[in-house]
Each structure stands twice: as C-alpha cells, then as structure tokens.
C-alpha cells in the first residue's frame, strides 16, 4: 500500500532551517517531539509494523512562506528537495516518491524549482499550502504553477495552513485553545477549494489533479451547503453583485468539488470516511495516514470498516496513487 | 409517523411588524426575508406544513437570523425579545397541532436582562428552550457575563439551541478585507457552531453546568466528520503552541474533550445531505439526534428540507426504536414537550 501524504524533516533541511530561522513559528515545538519526523530508524520501525507499506514523503507544516524571507525560502526548498530525492534514491522500497516543496513568495522561482524537482530530481508533484503568507491561491501570480502542474500531469498536494493569528472572535486578538488547528485547518482547506473552483481553475485546466489533506476539508459532510446552498450564490449578499460567478463556470459548481482528490488522514477516525467515499468516490479517495503526525494502525483499522469491493479497496490503498503519480511510467 | 421538527424558524407577527420599523440591520432583514413569506406569514407557514399532513408533523420554532443583539441597542433588543417570546408562546398555545414548542429569544447584548427574560420565558411563557447564537456581537459564549444565562437554562432543565452567526466581515485571508463568495455562510457558519461548542467545553461552562443541555445546529457542524481532530487531536492540546502555556487546560477539565462533544445533542438539519446524516448519527447515536429541517430556509422556501430530511432518514437502515427516538421521542424529553 502507498501512503500518499506523509511528512518528513530531512536532516540537511532542518540544519539549514535552524541556521536561518531561530524562531520557527508555533507548530515546530510539536515537530521536534515527533521522533519519526527526523529519525529514520524510528520511522522505519513504525513502517515495519505494516507489511507492504510505503510512503510518499513531503515536508510538514509550517509553510516556508510563513517563517523565512523569500530568498531563504527558495534556498530551503532546494535543500529540502535535494534531501528528499536522496532519501527516495536510498530507500526506494520505503519511499517510492516525494512531493516537492516550493516557496510561492517568488512565484517565478517556484515554477523553476518545480520543474527542477520534477525533471531532475524525480519529484512526483508539488505541495502548496491553503494560503501563501495570507494570500488566496486564486491570485493571478499563482496560476502559472497550476498550468505547469497540469502540463506535467502530476498532482498538487494541498496542505492546510493557519496559525493562532486568525482570531475566532472579533473581540479577541487570536484564536484560543488551538481552534485554529482543530477546525481552522479544515476550514482553510474548504475555503481554498471553493476559491479555486469559483475562479474557474478547473475550466482552465480540466485535467489538473489536486490532493486535499484530511478528507477534503468540510466538503463531504457539507455537500448540502456547497451544493444547493451555494447554488443561490449572491442571494445572501447585498453589498456586491455575485450573480455572474456561477454562470461563468462551464459545469454545475458542485461537480468541480468532486474533481479534487481526498486523503484518508482523519487521525484514525472512521466516522467520516463513508462521507469522504460517498462524495469523492473510490477513484478520488487516496490512502494516507499523515504519518508520523497521524497514526498508521488506527487509520488502517478505520479503513477496514469502509464498504469497498476488493478492486475499489486496491484503488484507494494503492492503485489511485500509482495512477496519479504515474509510478509505472517512470524510468 | 410522528415528526417533531426541533430546529426551524419563524417570526411572530408583532415582532415582525416591529422589526420592519427598525433602521439599519432591521431594514436589511426585512428586504432579505420578504422573499421567504413562510418565515413571517402564518398562513403561508401553515400551507407549507399542510404538505406534510400525511405525517403527524409539528414544529419547535425559534426566530430566524439575525440575532436580536444585532438589531439595536440593548433597550431595543430587550423589547424585541419580549415581543418574540410573547408571540411564540401565543402561537404554541393557539396552535398546539402545529407548534409543539418554542425556543425563547434573548437580548444577549444585555446579559442581566437576558437572564430575566429567560426566567420569564421558562416560568410564565412555557418556553421549551432558549436560542443562543455562536457569538454575541463578536464575543465568545464562555465570557463570564453570559454564564448566568446558561445557568438559568440548566436550572430549568431546558436546552440551549446553538445557532451559527457570521457575516462577511470575518475575512478568510489576512490580505483581504472581507470574506468573499459567501464563504462566511457556506463554511463560516459550521465553523462558528463548532468553535462555540468548543468554547463552552474549554471555557469550563460544561464542567460548571454538567446538566446543561446543548442542541448543536446542523448535526454538530464540523465535529462528527472531524472526530479524529476533536478526539486524539485535542487530547494533545498545547503541543502545537509555544507562545502560551496551554498545559493547564486539559488538566483543568473533568473529562476528555471529545466526551463533552459526544454528550451534546444535535439536529438532523443537513440540507438534505445523506452523507452528513450518516456521519452525524454514527458520531452521536440515536439517543442524541433530533429530527429538524431548518424550515423555511431551503431553495423552495419552506417544504424542501422537511421533505428531503424525512427522505434521507427513511433511506437509512436503523431499528424502528431508533427511528422513533430521532423523529420525535428525543425531542419530547429534551424540550419537555407535552406528550400526545
């Protein structure tokens, strides 16, 4: 089986990051405590628990764009990609592929790095975050990257990003009790998906593939709000005319949300998986644990309860990943 | 089959007429709601309900948006709450075959007055619940000034119906001045409900009032689908934060965070989503879910979500006993409705 969304902190990257940014943002305390992120032996021991298990690796949160300057972020991305490529070369059975890291602070440089990572280093896609230092992904400056990924016919991994700086209440300066993480991250993913759909991204690039983390955000259980709810887009707004947005799309808006891929990284909960499957279908649902930040055995156990034929199960656990990453077509 | 619709909205006539005389927010709601006559026109409401006469279908009503505290000064909100609760109580009294009960509205911008109004509604007007929105003019529900209101509900053994509230002023990106494409509604409302539930938990309200009954609108919003985040994720509360020591939060709670969320009730109003209904039922179980439609806020302006919600529930395989609980028995006990 192929775990399509897992995270790793290669040593060369961590060392370089430590040099440029002594203050790393508020999530890194947890990352330091997760040994399997930076200790390969610990990681392999966890992986060995599951026969036939391999991982597609990517960097974890936080986004480089949030923690260092543009030139530093670009350098760090190159270091990370070189290091992940080396890990894949050394351990092809464990890591069949990696997802390139980019810094979109300099979109042109990001484009060059995506090309380098894919064509020179063998990356099978790129990871971007739900906002770029606070900016939405539907801005014109980010569109060349989506075009490039459609051209490469390789996926974009979409990771949520938010910190306590996004307050939950107008009366408070920041988000409390890690609400920004628990509900804020799925919210981020949902908003990013909606912005990409409503900006016509999939009309521009009908074959573009985007893998959303954590079960496609809120979409599967809010298909009623996204579907019939959003169908009357504009009716709740008096200070702006939104009536032209949906007619400008070629297809019914809800269809585009089904174009995304969703992973199964739900922290071991099986409660939502039937909804993920019902919305995205078995061809757009991909096995992922978020390891080592999410549990491997619990996620596998939750997946056992999902109503799938053997063929469908194979697609979710492996086949979809092979197709998306075009692993067979590789040299 | 009997159905009690646990979360649906209506404006009694005297309140509606008064709202239409208000400046600002009141005028705005007037123009927006005029397209949905079933929210203020009793005859139209009854015509909608008549479509379900093959069922024994009644409603527990509460006001529609916006919250009264957004409609004016505390003085105005206090006046509106009185009109609202007198009106809803009268509707229940005059039309028991239509309206099985109601959730009182409170002037939350004057917490002392809100406590008094809640007491008046429970004691004198037979209110079955209070409706409170997910934030009070931008403030979280666990602020101490609101605690006596929850205390009053708990004292009377009556639930708090938690309704989302957010406008486009809550932006989705720090680089933009406001939320675009009505995302503040589509995803913002479920976020609001989820955050409000969490604040009642982490702010200690649920520990201080262990018997407080909460009805979380739209089947617990984000909580069921993100059980893994609410459960094992929040079991590690504090590990993602370095600029503040949150280690005391979990230690200060009497239970595991997930257990508080599981103990709340939730209604089946999911805009006709079968997936959401299955997910919510799995999370809460048949003892905690109440049938509700959110009538009349469907694209057909009244019957749509009643019909779709009934259809979705009928399509889900479950023991007959569970079906009766969800459709009306849970509501009877939860709201203290008169048995039929």
């Amino acid at each position: 089986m192929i775990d399509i969304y897992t995270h790793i902190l290669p040593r060369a990257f961590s060392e370089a990051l430590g040099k440029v940014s002594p203050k790393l943002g508020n999530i890194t305390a947890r990352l330091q405590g997760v040994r399997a992120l930076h200790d390969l032996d610990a990681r392999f021991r966890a992986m060995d628990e599951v026969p036939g298990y391999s991982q597609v690796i990517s960097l974890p949160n936080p986004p480089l764009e949030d923690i260092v300057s543009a030139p530093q972020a670009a350098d760090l991305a190159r270091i990370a990609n070189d290091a992940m490529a080396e890990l894949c070369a050394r351990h092809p059975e464990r890591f069949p592929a990696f997802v390139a890291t980019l810094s979109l602070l300099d979109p042109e440089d990001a484009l060059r790095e995506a090309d380098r990572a894919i064509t020179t280093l063998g990356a099978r896609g790129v990871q971007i975050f739900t906002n770029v230092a606070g900016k939405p992904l539907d801005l014109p400056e980010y569109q060349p990257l989506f075009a490039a990924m459609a051209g490469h016919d390789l996926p974009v991994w979409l990771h949520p990003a938010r910190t306590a700086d996004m307050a939950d209440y107008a009366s408070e300066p920041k988000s409390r009790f890690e609400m920004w993480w628990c509900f804020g991250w799925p919210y981020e993913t949902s908003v990013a998906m909606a912005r990409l759909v409503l900006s016509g991204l999939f009309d521009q690039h009908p074959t573009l593939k985007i893998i959303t983390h954590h079960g496609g955000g809120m979409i599967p259980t809010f298909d009623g709000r996204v579907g019939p709810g959003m169908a009357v887009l504009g009716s709740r707004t008096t200070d702006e005319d939104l009536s032209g947005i949906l007619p400008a799309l070629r297809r019914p808006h809800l269809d585009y949300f089904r174009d995304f891929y969703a992973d199964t990284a739900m922290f071991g909960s099986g409660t939502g998986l039937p909804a993920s499957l019902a919305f995205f279908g078995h061809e757009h649902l991909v096995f992922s644990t978020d390891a080592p930040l999410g549990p491997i055995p619990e996620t596998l156990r939750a997946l056992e309860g999902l109503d799938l034929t053997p063929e469908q199960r194979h697609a979710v656990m492996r086949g979809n990943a092979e197709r998306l990453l075009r692993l067979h077509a590789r040299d | 089959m009997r159905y009690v619709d646990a979360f649906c909205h209506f404006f009694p006539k005297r309140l509606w007429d008064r709202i239409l005389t208000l400046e600002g927010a009141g005028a705005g709601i007037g123009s927006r709601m005029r397209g949905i006559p079933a929210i203020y026109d009793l005859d139209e409401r009854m015509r909608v309900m008549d479509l379900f006469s093959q069922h024994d279908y009644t409603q527990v009503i509460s006001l529609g948006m916006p919250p009264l505290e957004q409609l004016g000064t505390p003085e105005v909100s206090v006046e509106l709450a009185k009109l609202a609760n007198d009106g809803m109580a009268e509707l229940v009294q005059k039309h028991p075959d239509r309206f099985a009960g109601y959730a009182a509205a409170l002037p939350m911008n004057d917490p002392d007055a809100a406590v008094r109004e809640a007491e008046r509604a429970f004691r004198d007007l037979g209110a079955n619940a209070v409706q409170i929105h997910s934030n009070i003019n931008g403030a979280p529900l666990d602020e101490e000034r609101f605690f006596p209101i929850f205390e009053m509900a708990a004292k009377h053994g009556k639930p708090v119906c938690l309704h989302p509230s957010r406008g486009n002023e809550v932006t989705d990106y720090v680089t933009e001045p406001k939320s675009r494409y009505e995302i503040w509604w589509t995803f913002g409302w479920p976020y609001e409900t989820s955050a409000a539930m969490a604040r009642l938990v982490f702010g200690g309200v649920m520990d201080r009032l262990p018997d407080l009954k909460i009805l979380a609108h739209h089947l617990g919003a984000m909580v069921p689908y993100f059980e893994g985040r609410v459960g094992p994720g929040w079991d590690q509360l504090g590990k993602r934060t370095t600029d503040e020591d949150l280690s005391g939060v979990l230690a200060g709670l009497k239970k595991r965070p997930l257990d508080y969320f599981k103990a709340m009730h939730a209604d089946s109003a999911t805009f006709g989503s079968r997936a959401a209904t299955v997910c919510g039922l799995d999370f809460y179980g048949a003892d905690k879910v109440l049938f509700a439609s959110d009538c009349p806020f469907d694209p057909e302006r009244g019957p749509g979500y009643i019909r779709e919600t009934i259809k979705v529930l009928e399509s889900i395989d479950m023991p007959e006993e569970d079906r009766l609980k969800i459709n009306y028995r849970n509501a009877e006990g939860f709201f203290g409705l008169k048995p039929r």
Side-chain angles (χ1 to χ4, degrees), chain A residues 26-82:
Chain A
N26 64 5
I27 200 143
T28 47
R30 174 157 188 257
L31 298 187
Q32 299 304 332
V34 181
R35 224 176 130 198
L37 265 179
H38 43 81
D39 178 338
L40 275 186
D41 290 336
R43 190 177 188 101
F44 291 165
R45 274 196 299 277
M47 294 176 72
D48 287 340
E49 300 281 309
V50 185
Y53 169 83
S54 62
Q55 296 181 332
V56 177
I57 50 175
S58 58
L59 285 198
N61 186 68
L64 295 175
E65 292 93 331
D66 284 349
I67 53 172
V68 290
S69 70
Q72 289 170 335
D75 280 344
L76 285 167
R78 281 187 279 274
I79 292 167
N81 294 333
D82 288 343

Side-chain angles (χ1 to χ4, degrees), chain B residues 54-72:
Chain B
Q54 77 274 30
H55 303 291
D56 176 3
Y57 172 78
T58 56
Q59 299 183 330
V60 175
I61 50 172
S62 49
L63 297 188
M65 287 288 282
L68 295 183
E69 56 268 21
Q70 282 182 21
L71 284 176

Side-chain angles (χ1 to χ4, degrees), chain B residues 1 3 54-55 274 277 281 291 306-318 320 323 326-327:
Chain B
M1 173 68 82
Y3 286 92
Q54 77 274 30
H55 303 291
R274 190 176 192 281
T277 308
L281 275 170
F291 169 78
I306 305 174
R307 186 185 61 241
E308 292 307 311
T309 308
I310 290 174
K311 200 189 287 176
V312 164
L313 284 170
E314 281 177 347
S315 80
I316 297 171
D317 192 37
M318 66 177 97
E320 188 64 11
R323 203 175 291 287
I326 292 164
N327 290 355

Side-chain angles (χ1 to χ4, degrees), chain A residues 233-276:
Chain A
L233 182 62
S235 67
R236 301 171 195 91
T237 304
T238 47
D239 58 353
E240 190 185 357
D241 180 10
L242 299 176
S243 62
I245 307 277
L246 294 184
L249 298 176
R250 288 192 200 136
R251 293 189 281 147
H253 69 282
L254 188 60
D255 286 5
Y256 296 95
F257 286 89
R258 298 186 202 278
D259 288 353
F260 289 94
Y261 292 75
D263 78 11
T264 64
M266 303 295 272
F267 295 94
S269 167
T271 305
L273 288 177
S276 325

Side-chain angles (χ1 to χ4, degrees), chain A residues 67-310:
Chain A
I67 53 172
V68 290
S69 70
Q72 289 170 335
D75 280 344
L76 285 167
R78 281 187 279 274
I79 292 167
N81 294 333
D82 288 343
M84 286 192 285
E86 194 186 326
L87 282 168
C88 291
R90 272 201 204 159
H91 309 282
E93 298 302 313
R94 297 193 183 269
F95 306 133
F98 77 101
V99 185
T101 282
L102 301 175
S103 162
L104 284 165
L105 290 176
D106 182 342
E108 283 178 26
D109 184 69
L111 208 53
R112 282 192 297 273
E113 179 59 11
D115 282 336
R116 183 186 82 95
I118 290 164
T119 54
T120 313
L121 301 177
R124 301 316 276 172
V126 299
Q127 172 169 255
I128 60 173
F129 288 80
T130 48
N131 69 76
V132 181
K135 291 188 198 172
L137 294 174
D138 56 5
L139 291 179
E141 64 213 71
Y142 308 128
Q143 300 323 298
L145 179 66
F146 292 113
M149 294 315 294
H152 284 296
D153 192 23
L154 287 171
V156 174
W157 276 250
L158 183 63
H159 196 289
R162 175 176 278 206
T163 68
D165 293 341
M166 287 292 272
D168 301 312
Y169 296 92
S171 68
E172 295 183 338
K174 61 176 193 168
S175 177
R176 296 187 62 198
F177 305 117
E178 296 179 351
M179 202 90 75
W180 56 269
W181 175 84
C182 186
F183 299 128
W185 279 25
Y187 183 81
E188 279 275 340
T189 301
S190 315
V191 175
M193 292 167 77
R195 295 286 294 247
L196 293 177
V197 165
L198 296 176
S199 69
L201 181 70
F202 290 107
D203 282 336
Q204 288 273 317
H205 309 294
T207 62
L208 179 65
K209 297 170 180 77
I210 301 180
I211 302 169
T212 59
H213 213 1
H214 308 307
M218 300 164 64
I219 312 302
T221 49
F222 293 100
D223 55 339
R225 290 181 89 83
V226 180
M230 200 182 276
V232 292
L233 182 62
S235 67
R236 301 171 195 91
T237 304
T238 47
D239 58 353
E240 190 185 357
D241 180 10
L242 299 176
S243 62
I245 307 277
L246 294 184
L249 298 176
R250 288 192 200 136
R251 293 189 281 147
H253 69 282
L254 188 60
D255 286 5
Y256 296 95
F257 286 89
R258 298 186 202 278
D259 288 353
F260 289 94
Y261 292 75
D263 78 11
T264 64
M266 303 295 272
F267 295 94
S269 167
T271 305
L273 288 177
S276 325
L277 176 65
F279 187 82
F280 293 103
H282 69 270
E283 290 182 332
H284 280 237
L285 187 66
V286 284
F287 168 57
S288 150
T289 64
D290 198 21
L293 302 171
I296 300 170
E298 284 85 348
T299 303
L300 287 171
R301 208 151 41 233
L303 276 160
E304 280 168 19
L306 202 54
D307 188 22
L308 292 166
T309 67

Side-chain angles (χ1 to χ4, degrees), chain B residues 15-153:
Chain B
L15 172 71
W16 181 250
D17 290 344
R18 177 71 179 96
I19 286 176
L20 295 184
T21 69
L22 297 172
E23 308 273 310
I29 177 190
S31 62
R32 201 166 63 242
M33 297 283 180
R34 239 185 293 273
I36 311 173
I39 188 112
Y40 61 85
D41 178 336
L42 188 59
D43 292 337
E44 175 60 19
R45 181 64 159 228
M46 291 202 178
R47 275 193 291 277
V48 167
M49 295 178 74
D50 284 342
L51 296 171
F52 303 93
S53 55
Q54 77 274 30
H55 303 291
D56 176 3
Y57 172 78
T58 56
Q59 299 183 330
V60 175
I61 50 172
S62 49
L63 297 188
M65 287 288 282
L68 295 183
E69 56 268 21
Q70 282 182 21
L71 284 176
T73 62
E75 198 178 30
V76 170
S77 302
V78 168
E79 181 210 341
L80 295 175
K82 287 199 164 65
L83 286 173
N85 298 330
D86 289 344
M88 287 191 284
E90 189 186 338
L91 284 168
V92 170
Q93 198 195 6
K94 274 196 188 163
H95 308 282
D97 54 328
R98 302 283 186 170
F99 304 119
Y102 76 101
L106 300 177
M108 295 294 285
N109 46 352
D110 182 345
D112 292 339
V115 174
R116 287 195 298 275
E117 181 62 14
E119 181 165 42
R120 186 181 80 94
F122 290 138
R123 192 189 56 209
D124 304 337
L125 299 174
N128 304 89
V130 291
Q131 175 172 241
I132 295 179
H133 294 80
S134 52
N135 71 78
I136 309 301
N137 288 339
L141 297 180
D142 57 341
E143 283 190 10
E144 191 58 31
R145 62 191 165 119
F146 304 126
F147 184 75
I149 299 161
F150 292 101
E151 201 174 27
M152 181 61 68

